[in-house]
Amino acid sequence: MSGTSEGPAPAADLDRGAVTESNNYASPGTEPLTTRTEPPAYHSVFTAAPLAMAVVDREGLVVGANDGFGALFGSPTGELTGRIAADLVDLASDARNWHAYCEMLRGREALLRCTRRLKHPDGQSVWVQVTVTPLGQDGCLLMSLSDISAHRELQGRLRHLEMHDPVTRLPNRTLFFERLTAALEAESYAESGTGRIGLCYLDLDGFKAVNDTLGHRVGDRLLAAVAERLTRCADEAGYARASAPLVARLGGDEFALLVEDSTGTEQVADLAESVLTAVQAPFDLAGQRVSVSASIGVVERRATDTTPTALMQAADTTLYWAKADGKARWTLFDPERNAHRMTRQALASTLRPAIERGEFVLEYQPLVGMEDGRLRGVEALVRWNHPQFGVLTPNRFIGLAEEDGSIVQLGRWVLRTACRQARQWQLDHPDEPPLFVSVNVAVRQVWDSDLVADVAETLAETGLAPHLLQLELTESAVMGSAGRPLQALQALSGMGVGIAIDDFGTGYSNLAYLSRLPVSVLKLDGSFVRGFQYEGDKEGAVAPNPADEVVVEAMIQLAHRLGLTVTAECVETSAQATRLRRIGCDTGQGWLYSRPVSPTRIAELLSAPLEARR
Ligand code: C2E
Ligand code: MG
Ligand code: MG
């Protein structure tokens, strides 16, 4: 029995928190309900009211209570008289409520309302809403308690529904994110834990097919069965640990397993492996045998280094990789692969505005006659002066531009700039034979734009003669061309524009077929020329690969018979040049002659020709 429970506690004591134990008092006896504060007319109303009420004096003691109040505490009302009211509802356990209550006892506060959980003597707990108001007489207060247990239970059930998925009964996305956020906070501050977090983000391969062919009912059953297996995996993983991973359904056929306090990549990878095996075993769904597999993105990192959004983004990317790498596998997050993807994304999203802002420039690489070493033409090669990443070579962005279609706009700019430049050199050097300009054209430009009209317009606008323009297309771009692309090639060739096959030899290399197309030049791929590492006059020379030479020679002869000229790419040494010349190659391009350079440098070369490298 505590000292404070024996007699009325002075209000000053309440303020010091002297009253802390609850429901631990001997009854000071049964006093009649009629109190000093209560006019007799209200007595019966007070007693019979269904709302539990008690009158509390300025010292904080119950001076009278009605039957409802007694029933809540499971004791005769008389026994409650003289008890410390605050203790009955454990008001001191919450600092704010306690302070407000003390203020009310001093007459400085007009209302206190809070929710408390009461332990009924029969073991059940009851949720009550506590309302304390001044009675206006002698500083007494009226404490009323309404039983809100049913309401709370309903609220709880609604919350459960809100937080769980009805099909699998697993926690849903909302609950998952709540737990993830809480886990990240806890892991960041907890000193005892590992401070790490792990996540397996899973998507079923082939779920859509099950849904489409066997119907949604079977689909739902499959999801529920998968959920069961995932939960089993999580339970096994959590065996002998403080807690099992949380399994949640994030939507559709996506699930997540959250490993709080993870010990490292290996632990999460082991979990992913067990999930993969578990999902792969066939399911028996009401007589239907169904097989699926899962793709899983695995992320494991320090909690302080991440946020829920960052973790989910990483998991999403990793899951995408798992799918792209062939499905039915787990893939671990790789920061380097991600950086590459981010750069790709950053580039892709800024391509179009960059064209408008004029961030692209052209360099020109000489195309040189093999016999006399004279500059015949140049290939226009595009570069991106990226404000953030510096000068980017085309292999970083041409593919992206093809994917999103901006190659059409970029290609038009390249065509116009190159033709204008070629015409300018011609005007500036009227005494030299004019240079032709060779412009790379992507497949999509032939398909998605009116290339013929663009070329005609550009030539008219710049005044460049059609035979001074050559278009480079890859073998695969012209192979099998029929209809529109073939008509385009024919129209261009008809205008007098040259058509070259770029990187020849890397594709089908079907010369007989190519000869039926309006093609005039073959650009022999650099890989052939590389086989010509012939340093004949040096010691320890590596002998040339005769097979390559024979093949290339035959190819050149055949090309000539079909009326095509041949340009060799990537000529880097004079030995290569010598051999290429010997087997009949017409033109060369490569570092031996010049790297791709600015238009001014080409102008200089026109004034003072390249030293003939023979
Ligand atoms: P490509 O048309 O085969 O261009 C030749 C590439 O080989 C150029 O690379 C050039 O710098 C490089 N090269 C030249 N000589 C040598 C050499 O002796 N050794 C070595 N190792 N390499 C040499 P670049 O400029 O990076 O261009 C790469 C590719 O990008 C081009 O290959 C072409 O397919 C594409 N490309 C460039 N500009 C454009 C353009 O305006 N439009 C389109 N659609 N594609 C373009
Ligand atoms: Mg080219
Ligand atoms: Mg090439």
Side-chain angles (χ1 to χ4, degrees):
M1 196 191 297
S2 89
T4 50
S5 64
E6 281 179 85
D13 271 357
L14 288 174
D15 217 6
R16 275 186 246 119
V19 183
T20 49
E21 293 174 21
S22 58
N23 301 355
N24 189 23
Y25 306 104
S27 163
T30 46
E31 266 182 39
L33 186 57
T34 315
T35 70
R36 288 166 275 156
T37 56
E38 203 179 328
Y42 292 115
H43 182 219
S44 54
V45 177
F46 178 80
T47 314
L51 183 65
M53 286 185 284
V55 177
V56 179
D57 70 10
R58 58 194 312 168
E59 326 263 71
L61 300 176
V62 175
V63 290
N66 69 358
D67 294 345
F69 201 85
L72 260 185
F73 293 97
S75 34
T77 43
E79 281 182 19
L80 296 170
T81 315
R83 302 266 306 259
I84 298 169
D87 281 1
L88 289 174
V89 289
D90 202 15
L91 274 183
S93 65
D94 179 300
R96 252 192 26 208
N97 291 336
W98 178 241
H99 176 74
Y101 181 65
C102 292
E103 289 294 290
M104 290 206 67
L105 286 172
R106 292 192 189 107
R108 293 205 292 243
E109 192 91 41
L111 177 72
L112 167 63
R113 187 165 278 159
C114 60
T115 307
R116 318 295 304 151
R117 188 170 173 203
L118 305 181
K119 197 94 173 136
H120 203 271
D122 68 7
Q124 264 194 337
S125 55
V126 184
W127 281 95
V128 291
Q129 186 174 61
V130 182
T131 310
V132 186
T133 47
L135 268 178
Q137 291 164 16
D138 305 334
C140 281
L141 304 174
L142 179 70
M143 176 182 278
S144 48
L145 307 176
S146 53
D147 185 344
I148 54 165
S149 302
H151 179 71
R152 287 285 295 216
E153 200 204 337
L154 184 64
Q155 258 187 340
R157 247 188 290 157
L158 282 177
R159 194 180 137 76
H160 185 87
L161 279 180
E162 259 169 36
M163 296 289 179
H164 288 80
D165 157 52
V167 175
T168 61
R169 298 173 193 274
L170 288 178
N172 64 11
R173 204 178 177 83
T174 316
L175 182 52
F176 172 79
F177 273 94
E178 226 172 64
R179 281 282 298 272
L180 174 60
T181 310
L184 282 179
E185 276 169 16
E187 300 278 352
S188 317
Y189 298 114
E191 299 206 336
S192 55
T194 59
R196 304 189 68 87
I197 192 135
L199 177 68
C200 294
Y201 185 25
L202 171 155
D203 183 286
L204 294 181
D205 309 319
F207 177 71
K208 197 182 170 307
V210 172
N211 239 356
D212 290 351
T213 53
L214 303 176
H216 288 257
R217 280 251 289 261
V218 177
D220 281 359
R221 276 196 198 148
L222 175 62
L223 289 175
V226 166
E228 248 171 58
R229 290 189 188 177
L230 296 184
T231 309
R232 209 176 317 137
C233 289
D235 287 345
E236 278 162 18
Y239 184 69
R241 281 177 54 86
S243 63
L246 171 80
V247 184
R249 181 181 174 205
L250 300 190
D253 57 346
E254 285 171 25
F255 297 87
L257 290 96
L258 182 69
V259 184
E260 292 177 42
D261 213 11
S262 106
T263 55
T265 307
E266 209 176 291
Q267 185 199 357
V268 190
D270 282 351
L271 175 64
E273 188 69 48
S274 73
V275 164
L276 213 57
T277 316
V279 173
Q280 245 147 18
F283 292 86
D284 207 345
L285 306 172
Q288 303 259 26
R289 216 172 146 80
V290 177
S291 288
V292 287
S293 59
S295 298
I296 311 174
V298 177
V299 187
E300 204 279 337
R301 50 174 66 168
R302 270 169 42 153
T304 37
D305 297 345
T306 198
T307 61
T309 319
L311 191 74
M312 287 316 289
Q313 259 171 10
D316 192 51
T317 304
T318 316
L319 172 59
Y320 172 78
W321 294 337
K323 292 242 174 221
D325 291 350
K327 301 182 180 171
R329 70 192 58 228
W330 60 268
T331 299
L332 192 63
F333 180 73
D334 173 358
E336 230 165 72
R337 192 168 173 184
N338 192 47
H340 185 73
R341 180 191 70 107
M342 302 265 277
T343 321
R344 251 181 86 86
Q345 258 177 9
L347 291 185
S349 60
T350 50
L351 252 172
R352 276 176 204 272
I355 301 171
E356 276 147 30
R357 280 198 299 266
E359 287 176 8
F360 292 91
V361 284
L362 291 186
E363 283 190 331
Y364 299 88
Q365 189 174 28
L367 298 159
V368 176
M370 296 237 75
E371 268 312 317
D372 53 10
R374 256 194 47 217
L375 181 60
R376 296 283 160 80
V378 290
E379 176 174 2
L381 294 161
V382 67
R383 276 87 183 88
W384 183 354
N385 261 332
H386 197 283
Q388 195 184 344
F389 303 117
V391 179
L392 301 177
T393 54
N395 52 18
R396 297 288 299 278
F397 58 86
I398 289 290
L400 291 174
E402 284 197 78
E403 272 169 39
D404 77 357
S406 53
I407 190 71
V408 170
Q409 201 184 345
L410 179 62
R412 233 176 244 147
W413 177 85
V414 170
L415 179 71
R416 197 152 296 162
T417 310
C419 289
R420 201 175 292 150
Q421 185 59 62
R423 176 70 179 147
Q424 196 59 49
W425 286 318
Q426 193 184 1
L427 295 173
D428 291 347
H429 301 270
D431 301 332
E432 299 291 332
L435 294 182
F436 73 90
V437 68
S438 195
V439 173
N440 293 284
V441 173
V443 201
R444 245 186 118 151
Q445 283 175 268
V446 188
W447 277 102
D448 292 1
S449 70
D450 197 345
L451 186 63
V452 181
D454 282 348
V455 168
E457 209 175 283
T458 305
L459 292 177
E461 181 195 303
T462 58
L464 189 73
H467 74 275
L468 294 180
L469 174 64
Q470 172 175 293
L471 300 179
E472 297 190 11
L473 289 109
T474 57
E475 226 178 318
S476 54
V478 294
M479 265 298 153
S481 60
R484 188 185 163 103
L486 182 60
Q487 282 167 16
L489 290 187
Q490 276 159 348
L492 289 164
S493 168
M495 277 157 64
V497 172
I499 307 287
I501 300 300
D502 204 354
D503 307 333
F504 181 78
T506 54
Y508 302 96
S509 310
N510 189 335
L511 264 179
Y513 175 83
L514 282 178
S515 68
R516 292 202 293 273
L517 299 175
V519 170
S520 47
V521 175
L522 284 191
K523 290 192 75 177
L524 208 57
D525 189 68
S527 54
F528 284 101
V529 181
R530 226 159 277 136
F532 282 51
Q533 293 296 348
Y534 184 61
E535 303 288 338
D537 43 10
K538 281 193 190 156
E539 265 185 68
V542 183
N545 181 343
D548 275 341
E549 208 174 309
V550 171
V551 171
V552 176
E553 188 172 5
M555 216 143 67
I556 293 174
Q557 283 173 2
L558 183 59
H560 283 166
R561 238 178 287 143
L562 295 168
L564 305 169
T565 61
V566 179
T567 302
E569 295 180 349
C570 292
V571 186
E572 293 179 1
T573 67
S574 50
Q576 288 169 337
T578 308
R579 304 198 73 79
L580 285 164
R581 190 167 44 245
R582 194 175 302 155
I583 58 176
C585 191
D586 307 283
T587 320
Q589 173 181 7
W591 298 346
L592 173 68
Y593 309 106
S594 166
R595 301 230 171 196
V597 292
S598 69
T600 352
R601 177 75 190 125
I602 297 291
E604 284 167 17
L605 291 177
L606 273 168
S607 315
L610 277 166
E611 175 196 331
R613 290 184 167 96
R614 321 190 81 232

